């Protein structure tokens, strides 16, 4: 009985909290390698492929490096606040009380050094940079959530009811980082090209903790019992690999530029460790381990390819409009021979990061993602100070599906402002992204995702 | 394929791509306009004139239109004035024709005029080019007896130069030459018999300058629709030179316009036709406007302005006509400023004063033109200071007028600093005193 209940509880926790993996990664914008960094770019909605003319250029389009003239340092910090509201109802469950995860994270997002130089009259612009390509910094807590759940157990030919309180906490740190070596140049009139080599490294680690306390009843047998279960899932995931970017930026005529960027897919070496410990807590609070699994290993992750195009228009020098489109082939992102401690599925090819098996039905498979970005920058010039104002909009399709197997689309709005005085510029960007989707086929089972990010960049020109 | 082989393959692709990129790029490379421009500026600082000309021309090929605060990349903006620097380089090489061409282009774009430090320097160089390129007057070689003193030779050369300048219309400069000759004659006590005709020439030049000044002043009042003041000035001119045809014609126009303006004020016209001018038939407002637009496009600004002013009398609240008048006044004032400054450096103070005064009246002390007003007041002050000293330093009215313009300069910009390289110590002193006040 206890073992059956414990299995139920674990499955229940997975059903309710499987989307925490998505919330944890927040939006697809975190799962990038597809977007760059910098408050100026994000203030313009991230529509920077056809601009890419500052020290963050290589992260958006290495072709833009050829426009830089002076040595520049840049630093970017990111702070993030998000809120995920899970549905009040799912297929088997109902919730009352606080139904939201919220968390914050702050990280050092990007740094670079660029040094343009000439060989004769030929200009080359190399850059070395660091970027937190995918951040896994999360600190989610949901506590004192009252729930009621009921399902039919065929072996007992009756319903099982579970009623109680749960608490969930997820704390992870780290991310996939890249060290990038880039080289750009102006090839001939109006045409800039650039290349980057990205060295992927590091990873994340952390744990998820679930606690459930309440009463379980086997309805047909008139049996009920108080239970208290705790589950701790510890994970670590490290990545190593090399890929490259190629970029092109062309000035069609004065004030109009188009850009294109290609980021190659690559086979990343992965080493991982997952541990699940399930414990039953007795009346004297003494824990008894009822379940324990640990998997670790090395495998390969097929990181997907990305391409993007952009257009920028300057009706006059103080005003810029830009638009970008980017596509990432997440439907091809597969980890081979992965052992999933959560589901006890061994040596399975699964999609990353949803961990959906590749042999799942078509309507459940991971999706390619697309982003459409619009940006605007207006520059106000005082005597010696330049003050830019920025606005942006973007759509952000997700790699996971809703309950009906449909694509999920988030939208975002951005704003930014900066100040440039002499060689120093400081920019701030605010990004708000939101989305809503069906977690299950039950009415009122939509989840809402809200994320608020702040980027602060400093660029110093020598 | 093993991981090592895959990485090796990728490295080969990257190296191949970089090689192609380097070969292709080295053959077809072309820099940005701002790189050429800043390199050209650097060559000028290092006095590498020929190299700077080559680079500035490339910058102009890429971006022919100059601009203040032109965007380079990122958030970087520079003042792009390539024609000024190109002219400077040519001027430094002694190529005055090319230099003048470059400066004229700079003046046409009206960008350099917004940077006073470059503008003064460019005006001086342009004036120098104009002098060097103007056809030299053919003068008879001085016939001197073996026993003629050096003093006599100097007197003759001053007189000859004065005559040539007077013939070219530069009466102020002619007057200076005559004064020098007179001063030498009076000191030496020689050739006193030549004093009478010389005094006649001085008086004649002075009269002509006075008449020109009055005529210009009347025109300025007329264009500013100050008909009563214009008529008074014409009256003074006709007292000096009765029957002066220019004055007579202008007086007729002034009185016609004054009458028309008076009629428009007292009896608002509901018809679309103008009362006939002397000898002219009635025209409709729309036809007048068309003619004005056509003249404007052809660059006949004064004639276009007359017609727009006529339209505005009939349609006083027409904003589009007001805007066109503002635009023409602004363009006329810019041309007047450029001419006035150039004439100052050529030594033609009379014309310089007339043009600068005309520009001052056209801009009507509007705050948004403060930089232009500063230039006008600065050079008007310099003109009056020069005239004060040229006339012997006795006419305090001239100095007081100059001080008034100096005060106006400092009112517009308390931080103003005169370019000492381009003005005499006496002028600099007056400005310093004005700054202290």
């Amino acid at each position: 009985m206890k073992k059956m209940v414990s299995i139920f509880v674990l499955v229940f926790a997975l059903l309710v909290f499987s989307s925490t993996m998505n919330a944890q990664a927040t939006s697809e914008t975190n799962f990038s390698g597809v977007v760059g960094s910098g408050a100026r770019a994000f203030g313009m909605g991230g529509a920077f492929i056809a601009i890419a003319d500052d020290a963050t250029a290589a992260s958006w389009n290495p072709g833009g490096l050829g426009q830089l003239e002076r040595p520049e340092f840049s630093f970017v910090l990111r702070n993030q606040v998000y809120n995920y509201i899970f549905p009040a109802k799912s297929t088997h469950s109902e919730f009352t009380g606080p139904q939201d995860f919220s968390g914050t994270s702050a990280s050092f997002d990007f740094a670079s050094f660029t040094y343009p130089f000439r060989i004769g009259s030929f200009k080359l612009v190399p850059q070395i940079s660091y970027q937190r390509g995918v951040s896994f910094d999360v600190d989610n807590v949901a506590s004192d959530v009252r729930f009621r759940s009921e399902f039919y157990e065929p072996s007992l030919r009756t319903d099982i009811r579970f009623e109680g309180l749960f608490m969930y906490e997820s704390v992870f740190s780290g991310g996939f980082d890249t060290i990038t070596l880039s080289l750009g140049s102006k090839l001939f009139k109006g045409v800039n090209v650039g290349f980057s080599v990205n060295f992927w490294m590091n990873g994340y680690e952390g744990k998820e903790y679930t606690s459930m306390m309440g009463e379980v009843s086997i309805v047909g047998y008139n049996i009920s019992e108080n239970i208290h279960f705790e589950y701790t899932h510890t994970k670590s995931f490290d990545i190593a690999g090399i890929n490259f970017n190629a970029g092109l930026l062309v000035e069609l005529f004065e004030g109009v530029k188009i850009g294109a960027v290609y980021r190659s897919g690559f086979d990343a070496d992965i080493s991982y460790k997952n541990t699940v410990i399930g414990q039953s807590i007795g009346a004297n609070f003494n824990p008894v381990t009822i379940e324990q699994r640990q998997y670790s290993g090395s495998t390969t992750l097929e990181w997907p390819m990305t391409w993007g195009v952009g257009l920028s228009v300057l009706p006059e020098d103080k005003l810029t409009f830009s638009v970008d489109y980017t596509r990432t082939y997440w439907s091809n992102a597969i980890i081979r021979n992965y052992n999933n401690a959560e589901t006890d599925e061994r040596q399975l090819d699964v999609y990353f990061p949803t961990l959906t098996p590749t042999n799942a039905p078509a309507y459940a498979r991971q999706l390619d993602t697309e982003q459409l970005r619009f940006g605007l920058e207006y520059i106000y010039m005082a005597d010696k100070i330049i003050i830019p104002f920025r606005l942006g909009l973007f759509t952000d399709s997700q790699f996971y599906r809703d309950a009906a197997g449909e694509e999920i689309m988030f939208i975002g709005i951005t704003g930014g402002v900066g100040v440039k005085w002499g060689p120093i510029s400081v920019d701030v960007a605010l990004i708000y992204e939101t989305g809503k989707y069906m977690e299950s086929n039950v009415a009122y089972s939509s989840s809402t995702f809200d994320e608020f990010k702040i980027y602060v960049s400093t660029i110093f020109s020598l | 394929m093993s991981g090592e082989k895959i990485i090796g393959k990728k490295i080969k692709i990257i190296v191949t791509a970089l090689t192609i990129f380097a070969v292709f790029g080295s053959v077809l490379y072309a820099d940005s306009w701002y790189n050429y421009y800043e390199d050209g500026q650097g060559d000028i600082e290092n006095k590498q004139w020929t190299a700077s000309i080559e680079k500035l021309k490339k910058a102009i090929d890429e971006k022919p239109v100059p601009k203040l605060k032109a965007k380079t990349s990122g958030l970087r903006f520079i003042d792009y004035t390539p024609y000024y620097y190109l002219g400077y380089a040519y001027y430094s090489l002694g190529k005055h024709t090319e230099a003048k061409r470059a400066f004229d282009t700079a003046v046409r774009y009206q960008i350099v005029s917004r940077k006073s430090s470059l503008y003064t320097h460019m005006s001086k160089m342009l004036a120098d080019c104009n002098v060097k390129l103007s056809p030299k007057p053919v003068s008879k070689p001085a016939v001197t007896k073996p026993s003629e003193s050096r003093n006599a030779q100097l007197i003759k050369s001053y007189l000859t130069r004065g005559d040539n300048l007077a013939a070219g219309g530069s009466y102020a400069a002619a007057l200076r030459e005559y004064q020098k000759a007179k001063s030498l004659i009076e000191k030496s006590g020689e050739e006193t018999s030549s004093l009478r005709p010389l005094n006649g020439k001085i008086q004649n030049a002075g009269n002509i300058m006075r008449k020109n000044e009055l005529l210009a002043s009347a025109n300025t009042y007329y264009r500013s629709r100050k008909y009563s003041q214009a008529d008074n000035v014409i009256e003074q001119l006709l007292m000096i030179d009765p029957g002066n045809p220019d004055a007579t014609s202008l007086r007729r126009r002034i009185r016609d316009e004054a009458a028309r303006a008076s009629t428009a004020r007292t009896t608002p016209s509901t018809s679309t036709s103008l009362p006939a001018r002397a000898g002219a038939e009635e025209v409709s407002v729309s036809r007048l406007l068309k003619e004005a637009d056509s003249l404007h496009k052809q660059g006949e600004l004064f004639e276009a302005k007359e017609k727009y002013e006529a339209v505005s009398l009939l349609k006083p609240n027409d904003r589009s006509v007001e805007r066109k008048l503002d635009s023409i006044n602004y363009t006329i004032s810019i041309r007047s400023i450029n001419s006035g400054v150039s004439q100052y450096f050529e030594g033609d103070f009379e014309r310089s004063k007339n043009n600068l005064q005309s520009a001052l009246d056209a801009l009507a002390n509007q705050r948004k033109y403060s930089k232009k007003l500063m230039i006008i007041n600065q050079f008007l002050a310099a003109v009056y200071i020069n005239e004060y000293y040229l006339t012997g330093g006795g006419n305090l009215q001239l100095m007081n007028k100059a001080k008034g313009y100096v005060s106006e300069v400092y009112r517009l910009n308390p931080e103003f600093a005169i370019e000492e390289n381009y003005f005499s110590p006496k002028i600099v002193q007056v400005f310093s005193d004005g700054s202290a006040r």
Side-chain angles (χ1 to χ4, degrees):
Chain A
M1 163 81 167
K2 264 197 175 160
K3 188 173 167 74
M4 182 173 65
V5 169
S6 76
I7 292 169
F8 158 72
V9 166
L10 181 56
V11 170
F12 167 79
L14 285 172
L15 283 174
V16 172
F17 301 117
S18 63
S19 49
T20 61
M21 183 58 183
N22 299 326
Q24 177 179 292
T26 61
S27 66
E28 188 273 335
T29 51
N30 268 12
F31 251 97
S32 54
V34 307
V35 294
S37 188
R40 179 173 169 228
F42 279 123
M44 297 176 69
F48 216 61
I49 291 176
I51 300 175
D53 59 1
D54 65 18
T56 63
S59 67
W60 295 95
N61 181 355
L65 281 172
Q67 302 172 100
L68 274 66
E69 306 150 42
R70 295 174 180 202
E72 293 186 5
F73 289 98
S74 72
F75 306 94
V76 181
L77 300 172
R78 176 178 64 174
N79 196 7
Q80 188 172 331
V81 175
Y82 54 85
N83 194 53
Y84 167 71
I85 300 175
F86 54 84
K89 288 186 182 177
S90 62
T91 311
H92 299 289
S93 310
E94 267 179 47
F95 300 95
T96 53
Q99 289 157 10
D100 60 295
F101 295 115
S102 61
T104 63
S105 70
S107 60
F108 187 74
D109 202 65
F110 182 84
S112 72
F113 174 62
T114 313
Y115 193 87
F117 67 95
R118 303 231 176 174
I119 299 175
S121 59
F122 189 59
K123 182 171 74 172
L124 288 170
V125 186
Q127 182 183 83
I128 181 167
S129 60
Y130 156 84
Q131 184 178 2
R132 171 58 53 97
V134 183
S135 174
F136 287 90
D137 288 325
V138 293
D139 192 346
N140 288 330
V141 174
S143 61
D144 296 331
V145 183
R146 182 159 288 283
F147 73 95
R148 186 174 186 279
S149 188
E150 195 165 313
F151 66 96
Y152 180 76
E153 175 52 46
S155 61
L156 297 174
R157 293 196 204 105
T158 184
D159 286 342
I160 294 184
R161 188 182 301 138
F162 192 19
E163 201 167 338
L165 281 175
F166 79 79
M167 179 216 169
Y168 172 85
E169 185 179 6
S170 158
V171 180
F172 283 82
S173 64
F176 298 159
D177 300 330
T178 56
I179 299 287
T180 301
L181 303 176
S182 308
L183 183 66
S185 181
K186 184 168 183 176
L187 198 59
F188 45 88
K189 185 173 176 178
V191 177
N192 298 278
V193 294
F195 295 97
S196 299
V197 178
N198 307 301
F199 298 90
W200 291 77
M201 60 192 67
N202 297 335
Y204 67 86
E205 63 180 10
K207 70 177 178 189
E208 291 172 325
Y209 167 79
T210 310
S211 168
M212 304 178 83
M213 284 194 299
E215 186 182 70
V216 62
S217 308
I218 303 177
V219 177
Y221 291 82
N222 212 19
I223 295 171
S224 63
E225 195 171 321
N226 288 329
I227 55 161
H228 178 181
F229 290 103
E230 291 183 352
Y231 279 89
T232 303
H233 185 186
T234 312
K235 303 182 198 179
S236 69
F237 195 96
D238 291 326
I239 190 172
I242 301 177
N243 79 326
F244 68 91
N245 304 343
L248 177 71
L249 188 67
V250 177
E251 185 166 15
L252 295 176
F253 43 89
E254 189 169 356
V256 178
K257 292 181 190 172
I258 57 172
V261 64
Y262 167 78
R263 298 168 200 263
S264 70
F266 65 105
D267 290 341
D269 296 326
I270 302 296
S271 60
Y272 67 93
K273 188 175 175 182
N274 292 331
T275 306
V276 169
I277 298 176
Q279 294 178 314
S280 168
I281 312 296
N284 297 327
F285 296 98
N286 48 315
V288 174
T289 299
I290 54 171
E291 199 161 356
Q292 187 166 339
R293 287 194 292 278
Q294 179 174 305
Y295 293 120
S296 62
S298 300
T299 184
T300 304
L301 162 59
E302 293 167 16
W303 192 275
M305 175 258 280
T306 301
W307 62 268
V309 291
L311 168 71
S312 69
V313 177
L314 277 74
E316 50 150 305
D317 283 353
K318 292 182 188 176
L319 184 61
T320 305
F321 294 101
S322 58
V323 58
D324 279 6
Y325 170 82
T326 314
R327 185 181 183 91
T328 307
Y329 292 86
W330 286 108
S331 60
N332 298 334
I334 296 171
I335 305 182
R336 303 288 179 192
N337 300 319
Y338 183 72
N339 297 312
N340 190 349
E342 277 179 321
T343 58
D344 200 17
E345 287 168 325
R346 305 182 195 193
Q347 303 237 312
L348 207 58
D349 288 351
V350 295
Y351 291 104
F352 181 85
T354 59
L355 303 181
T356 311
T358 55
N359 58 5
Y363 62 80
R365 290 181 197 163
Q366 192 162 284
L367 288 163
D368 293 343
T369 59
E370 297 174 317
Q371 294 175 333
L372 189 59
R373 301 177 173 274
F374 300 90
L376 176 155
E377 179 180 68
Y378 175 74
I379 294 168
Y380 171 75
M381 281 190 266
D383 190 24
K384 290 178 183 175
I385 292 177
I386 290 171
I387 301 175
F389 297 92
R390 303 173 183 118
L391 281 177
L393 283 172
F394 63 91
T395 67
D396 185 14
S397 70
Q398 303 299 301
F399 43 72
Y400 48 95
R401 300 172 187 260
D402 69 7
E406 299 295 327
E407 180 187 87
I408 298 169
M409 182 70 77
F410 290 177
I411 58 170
I413 184 166
T414 72
V417 69
V419 60
K420 183 173 192 284
W421 185 38
I424 299 176
S425 65
V426 178
D427 295 285
V428 176
L430 308 176
I431 301 166
Y432 172 68
E433 185 170 358
T434 186
K436 203 170 182 179
Y437 55 95
M438 300 299 289
E439 283 273 18
S440 73
N441 289 320
V442 175
Y444 307 110
S445 65
S446 62
S447 292
T448 305
F449 167 78
D450 286 301
E451 182 182 68
F452 189 70
K453 284 192 230 181
I454 299 174
Y455 283 83
V456 178
S457 300
T458 303
I459 295 179
F460 182 78
S461 304
L462 297 174
Chain B
M1 199 187 282
S2 71
E4 285 170 356
K5 283 188 181 172
I6 291 170
I7 291 173
K9 190 178 172 193
K10 286 189 177 176
I11 289 173
K12 275 186 197 166
I13 292 171
I14 291 165
V15 169
T16 308
L18 283 171
T19 308
I20 293 170
F21 159 68
V23 169
F24 207 173
S26 61
V27 172
L28 292 170
Y29 182 76
D31 217 334
S32 308
W33 64 267
Y34 43 89
N35 291 132
Y36 286 129
Y37 176 67
E38 289 177 326
D39 287 350
Q41 284 180 305
D43 286 338
I44 282 184
E45 274 173 35
N46 295 328
K47 299 188 184 349
Q48 306 291 323
W49 311 116
T50 309
S52 72
I53 287 170
E54 192 187 319
K55 284 169 193 157
L56 289 166
K57 280 183 171 177
K58 283 183 181 170
I60 289 168
D61 279 343
E62 296 247 352
K63 188 175 174 68
V65 179
K67 189 178 169 143
L68 292 183
K69 297 197 193 311
K71 189 173 186 185
T72 58
S73 66
L75 293 178
R76 197 164 158 265
F77 294 80
I78 60 171
D79 289 336
Y80 180 59
T81 55
Y83 298 103
Y84 160 77
Y85 288 104
L86 186 65
Y88 184 8
Y90 276 127
Y91 178 83
S92 302
L93 285 172
K95 296 185 177 181
H96 297 109
T97 305
E98 292 86 346
K100 179 175 158 58
R101 197 177 302 133
F103 290 141
D104 284 343
T105 309
V107 167
R108 198 167 62 244
Y109 279 114
Q110 298 179 28
I111 295 297
V112 179
S113 61
R114 292 191 233 166
K115 285 181 69 91
S116 57
S117 57
L118 298 188
Y119 182 69
T120 309
H121 185 218
M122 187 183 75
S123 299
K124 187 162 189 338
M125 288 190 287
L126 180 56
D128 202 32
C129 289
N130 284 333
V131 167
K132 286 188 164 63
L133 291 174
S134 61
K136 296 201 183 337
V138 178
S139 55
K140 286 188 198 168
V143 176
T144 55
K145 295 178 187 170
S147 58
E148 211 167 28
S149 67
R150 173 166 164 67
N151 210 37
Q153 286 177 15
L154 267 176
I155 291 168
K156 274 190 180 160
S157 81
Y158 287 142
L159 286 173
T160 307
R161 215 178 299 161
D163 289 342
N164 287 331
L165 286 165
S170 300
Y171 292 104
L175 193 59
R176 278 199 302 280
E177 299 301 318
Y178 291 149
Q179 295 283 12
K180 286 177 196 172
K182 183 176 174 180
S183 170
L184 279 179
I185 291 170
E186 284 170 344
K187 275 182 193 165
S188 68
E190 294 176 9
E191 296 197 43
T192 52
S193 58
S194 60
L195 262 179
R196 194 180 294 169
L198 178 57
N199 284 333
K201 286 180 183 179
I202 289 171
Q203 191 176 19
N204 192 42
N207 281 342
I208 292 175
M209 280 169 60
R210 178 77 182 135
K211 277 187 278 185
N212 286 342
E213 184 184 318
L214 288 170
L215 193 59
S217 179
N219 260 310
T220 303
Y221 283 127
Y222 167 63
R223 285 187 201 117
S224 306
R225 301 187 218 179
K226 296 175 183 171
Y227 301 119
S228 165
Q229 291 98 311
D231 200 57
N232 287 339
V233 172
I234 292 291
E235 188 66 38
Q236 292 175 49
L237 199 163
L238 289 171
M239 283 172 63
I240 301 172
D241 183 12
N244 180 295
D246 291 332
T248 311
S249 155
L250 180 59
R251 181 175 237 183
R252 192 166 52 243
R253 290 209 308 276
I254 288 168
R255 287 184 173 174
D256 284 346
E257 290 295 331
R260 203 174 298 127
S262 171
T263 308
R265 270 197 299 275
T266 53
T267 51
S269 168
T270 53
S271 79
T272 56
S273 58
L274 272 177
R277 293 177 67 177
E281 66 256 8
E282 288 189 358
V283 292
S284 67
V285 165
S286 60
R287 205 176 114 196
L288 255 184
L289 205 50
K290 246 189 204 170
E291 286 169 9
D293 289 339
S294 172
L295 287 165
H296 192 180
K297 269 191 196 142
Q298 292 165 29
E300 304 292 339
L301 297 181
F302 289 106
E303 290 77 5
K305 182 178 167 180
E306 271 190 36
K307 296 215 184 275
Y308 282 130
E309 282 172 345
V311 172
S312 75
L313 285 174
L314 294 167
K315 295 174 79 179
N317 297 321
D318 191 322
R319 299 294 295 271
S320 69
V321 174
E322 276 177 27
R323 276 198 294 272
K324 286 176 185 178
L325 270 171
D326 279 343
S327 168
I328 284 187
N329 278 332
Y330 181 76
T331 308
I332 289 172
S333 67
I334 295 301
R335 287 189 191 177
S336 299
I337 293 171
N338 293 335
S339 300
V341 171
S342 190
Q343 283 153 355
Y344 171 82
F345 285 115
E346 289 169 11
D348 189 347
F349 298 127
E350 197 58 40
R351 282 189 182 172
S352 172
K353 194 186 348 170
N354 292 336
N355 274 310
L356 292 169
Q357 188 63 55
S358 165
L360 192 63
D361 291 338
L363 293 181
N365 278 316
Q366 294 179 58
R367 192 84 196 156
K368 63 181 176 178
Y369 301 128
S370 60
K371 282 189 180 161
K372 300 282 185 291
L373 290 169
M374 249 175 49
I375 293 173
I376 295 168
N377 281 287
Q378 174 190 345
F379 280 92
L380 275 171
V383 162
Y384 277 103
I385 295 168
N386 269 310
E387 285 197 346
Y388 170 77
Y389 284 108
L390 278 174
T391 54
N395 190 342
L396 283 175
Q397 231 179 358
L398 293 171
M399 181 52 78
N400 288 336
K401 255 194 157 157
K403 285 179 181 175
Y405 289 120
V406 169
S407 297
E408 186 60 16
V409 169
Y410 284 108
R411 188 188 70 78
L412 289 164
N413 179 10
E415 306 300 320
F416 175 79
I418 190 166
E419 303 275 349
E420 294 185 15
N421 290 335
Y422 306 127
F423 297 95
S424 70
K426 286 178 179 165
I427 293 174
V428 172
Q429 184 60 49
V430 174
F431 273 84
S432 298
D433 294 342
S435 166
R437 280 197 303 272

